[in-house]
């Protein structure tokens, strides 16, 4: 067969991930903070994009520029409401501030009769300091943050104590290096041998300085483990006897609630062991946590759900989390007139306009998609909003995707890191998607895994020291309530909720009962 060339016309369809499409997909799974960062970067690159200012919008609504409610009246004008100058002071516009003060009886001597001119002259520096402060005499607004005392950190607190503890400058430098190796909880992160080699000192000398630093406040600081932290605090309280030292060295048995082994190791009876456990509970396992300066961030809900007057639910997007991005069409028109067509500048502006329009449409589509998914979740979980977690229905991504006619991957991206504020509290959208558990009754409704976990947690919280429920007992109790669940599944749920076994719970509850009795 001979080789030959030929021309064919073929038509195919394929999904191409364009940069704009990838951007729209990424916008769906972005959090509010990430979205604001992305928009700020786009505004910096694109001269046609602008972030709408809330002050500007409020100003346009209230009419600041057109002389609205905050417009000052013209003094001396004729008409109703115009004040008469003679009613306020004599002398008209030539009157000085002192004359106004005398007329209104607001002199300094009238307010503070004991503080005359001679008393005010005693502290001229105070007057100069006040005038030099923001808003003192210049009439400018001052920031209240300028008067707030700074928060003392753990490093600052320790550096204030080190000069009183160590007299040698070399020892202070070593101590300062050890302070730099502390974590937020006050524990020393680093090996003494390596620190000594890095500083050119003997390990024994660094260890001696470390032992002296362990006497500083707060008690337990500079410890290298939890056991050493508790030992330092007990030593400062003069309570580190041999029995307590043995207890601190076997914290793993204490975590397992193995009180029988602890009694044998410590050589004490039940009453002494309970007293020792009470002292351990009174210690601070993280001595540096009180100086933590990290600011907790508040979660802003993306969707707000509240009851409607007709008994339904109102689902709204939180306006505080919606980005306000505008495309400056007027700027594009004015600049493009001066640019030659098909030039580099004109092509740049056209590309910026296309990207800006695409971004605004993507943000609008993102808001509509979030609204669709949230509305369907509220419709599916109406019983949860009315009666609580016991009535949470099993739900998966496929059910919501089929209801709103979208793909499961789109629903998964929308529900990632998005929060809904409901009358029941603030929940992540992923919270409403739970596994379905079959009913013990034939033809009965299935149950949500989260609702079943809530039942297990309630049953364990209500048990008494003499009637601790085993996993088999929980299975039987759930079956009576119409939930068919295997024993290994109950154990898996219990371990996921950090609930110990029935043997450990029985030991702990009996120990707590004895402590309460004493």
């Amino acid at each position: 067969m001979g080789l030959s060339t030929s021309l064919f016309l073929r038509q195919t369809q394929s999904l191409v991930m364009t940069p704009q499409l990838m951007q729209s997909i990424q916008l769906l799974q972005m959090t509010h903070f990430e979205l604001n960062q992305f928009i700020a970067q786009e505004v910096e690159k694109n001269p046609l994009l602008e972030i709408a200012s809330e002050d500007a919008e409020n100003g346009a609504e209230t009419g600041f520029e057109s002389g609205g409610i905050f417009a000052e009246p013209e003094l001396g004008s004729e008409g109703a409401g115009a004040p008469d100058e003679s009613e306020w002071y004599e002398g008209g516009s030539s009157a000085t501030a002192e004359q106004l003060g005398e007329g209104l009886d607001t002199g300094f001597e009238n307010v503070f009769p004991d503080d005359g001119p001679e008393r005010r002259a005693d502290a001229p520096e105070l007057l100069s300091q006040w005038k030099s402060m923001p808003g003192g005499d210049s009439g400018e607004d001052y920031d209240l943050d300028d008067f707030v005392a700074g928060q003392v950190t753990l490093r600052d607190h320790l550096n204030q104590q080190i000069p009183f503890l160590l007299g040698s400058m070399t020892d202070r430098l070593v101590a300062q290096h050890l302070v730099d190796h502390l974590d937020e909880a006050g524990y020393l992160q680093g090996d003494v041998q390596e620190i000594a080699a890095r500083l050119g000192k003997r390990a024994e000398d660094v260890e001696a300085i470390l032992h002296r630093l362990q006497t500083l406040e707060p008690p337990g600081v500079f410890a290298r483990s939890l056991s050493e932290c508790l030992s330092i605090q007990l030593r400062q309280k003069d309570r580190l006897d041999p029995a307590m030292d043995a207890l601190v060295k076997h914290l793993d048995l204490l975590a397992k609630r193995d009180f029988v082994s602890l009694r044998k190791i410590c050589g004490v009876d039940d009453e002494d062991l309970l007293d020792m456990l009470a002292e351990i509970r009174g210690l601070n396992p993280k001595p540096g946590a009180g100086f933590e300066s990290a600011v907790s961030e508040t979660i802003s809900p993306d969707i707000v759900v509240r009851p409607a007057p007709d008994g339904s639910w109102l689902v709204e997007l939180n306006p505080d989390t919606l980005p306000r991005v505008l495309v400056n069409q007027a700027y594009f028109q004015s600049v493009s007139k001066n640019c030659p067509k098909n030039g580099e500048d004109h092509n740049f502006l056209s590309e910026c306009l296309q990207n800006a329009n695409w971004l605004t449409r993507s943000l609008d589509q993102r808001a509509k998609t979030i609204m669709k998914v949230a509305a369907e979740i509220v419709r599916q979980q109406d019983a949860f909003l009315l009666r609580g977690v016991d009535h949470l229905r099993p739900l998966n991504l496929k059910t919501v995707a089929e209801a709103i006619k979208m793909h499961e991957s789109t629903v998964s991206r929308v529900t990632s890191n998005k929060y809904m504020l409901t009358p029941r509290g603030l929940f992540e959208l992923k919270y409403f998607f739970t596994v379905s558990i079959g009913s013990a009754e034939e033809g009965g409704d299935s149950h949500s895994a989260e609702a079943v976990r809530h039942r297990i947690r309630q049953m364990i919280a209500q048990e008494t020291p003499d009637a601790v429920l085993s996993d088999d007992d929980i299975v039987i109790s759930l079956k009576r309530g119409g939930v068919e669940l295997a024993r290994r599944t109950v154990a898996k749920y219990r371990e996921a909720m950090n609930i110990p076994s029935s043997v450990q719970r029985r030991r702990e509850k009996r120990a707590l009962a004895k402590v309460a009795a004493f």
Side-chain angles (χ1 to χ4, degrees), residues 154-389:
L154 177 62
R155 181 176 285 110
D156 296 337
H157 183 66
L158 295 174
N159 289 335
Q160 294 174 0
Q161 304 177 62
I162 289 177
F164 299 96
L165 180 68
L166 302 175
S168 173
M169 183 59 64
T170 304
D171 294 345
R172 293 182 185 178
L173 293 176
V174 175
Q176 182 63 47
H177 194 75
L178 293 175
V179 169
D180 293 337
H181 282 76
L182 294 180
D183 60 5
E184 296 179 353
Y187 287 83
L188 181 65
Q189 301 295 329
D191 185 64
V192 176
Q193 299 286 342
E194 296 179 358
I195 295 176
R198 192 181 304 115
L199 297 177
K201 302 281 291 183
R202 295 190 308 168
E204 294 80 5
D205 298 337
V206 177
E207 190 75 29
I209 295 175
L210 178 60
H211 284 305
R212 298 188 64 183
L213 292 176
Q214 290 177 349
T215 61
L216 296 177
E217 293 289 334
V221 74
F222 286 100
R224 287 160 287 188
S225 62
L226 177 60
S227 177
E228 186 178 12
C229 178
L230 300 180
S231 299
I232 294 172
Q233 299 180 50
L234 292 170
R235 188 181 297 112
Q236 294 185 9
K237 293 182 177 181
D238 197 18
R239 283 290 298 125
L240 192 61
D241 51 23
M244 187 66 77
D245 184 58
L247 176 61
V248 172
K249 291 180 179 178
H250 294 83
L251 294 178
D252 54 338
L253 297 178
L254 180 59
K256 296 178 181 178
R257 281 97 169 170
D258 193 355
F259 301 121
V260 177
S261 301
L262 287 176
R263 284 199 304 268
K264 294 179 181 179
I265 295 174
C266 299
V268 295
D269 54 9
D270 292 341
E271 183 177 352
D272 293 335
L273 181 62
L274 292 175
D275 293 338
M276 294 165 62
L277 294 178
E279 289 191 35
I280 292 294
R281 292 190 183 95
L283 302 178
N284 186 6
K286 295 181 179 180
F291 296 88
E292 186 177 358
S293 58
V295 180
S296 58
E297 298 182 359
T298 304
I299 298 177
S300 299
D302 299 272
I303 306 101
V304 179
V305 179
R306 57 177 183 267
D310 58 353
S312 60
W313 298 100
L314 290 177
V315 183
E316 299 175 343
L317 293 173
N318 187 3
D320 296 334
T321 59
L322 290 178
R324 299 175 177 87
V325 182
L326 302 177
V327 181
N328 196 337
Q329 298 283 354
Y331 179 74
F332 173 77
Q333 295 294 338
S334 61
V335 175
S336 60
K337 291 179 180 179
N338 301 324
C339 297
K341 291 185 178 181
N342 299 327
E344 184 177 353
D345 295 339
H346 187 274
N347 294 335
F348 172 74
L349 287 175
S350 300
E351 183 180 357
C352 289
L353 180 62
Q354 181 181 0
N355 294 336
N357 291 330
W358 182 271
L359 179 60
T360 53
R361 288 196 299 267
S362 299
L363 293 175
D364 183 65
Q365 185 64 33
R366 175 183 181 270
K368 292 179 180 178
T369 306
I370 294 176
M371 188 67 180
K372 287 182 181 180
V373 174
E376 181 61 23
I377 291 176
V378 171
R379 191 183 70 83
Q380 295 282 349
Q381 302 294 353
D382 177 71
F384 163 77
L385 297 175
L386 290 175
R387 295 187 287 273
V389 69

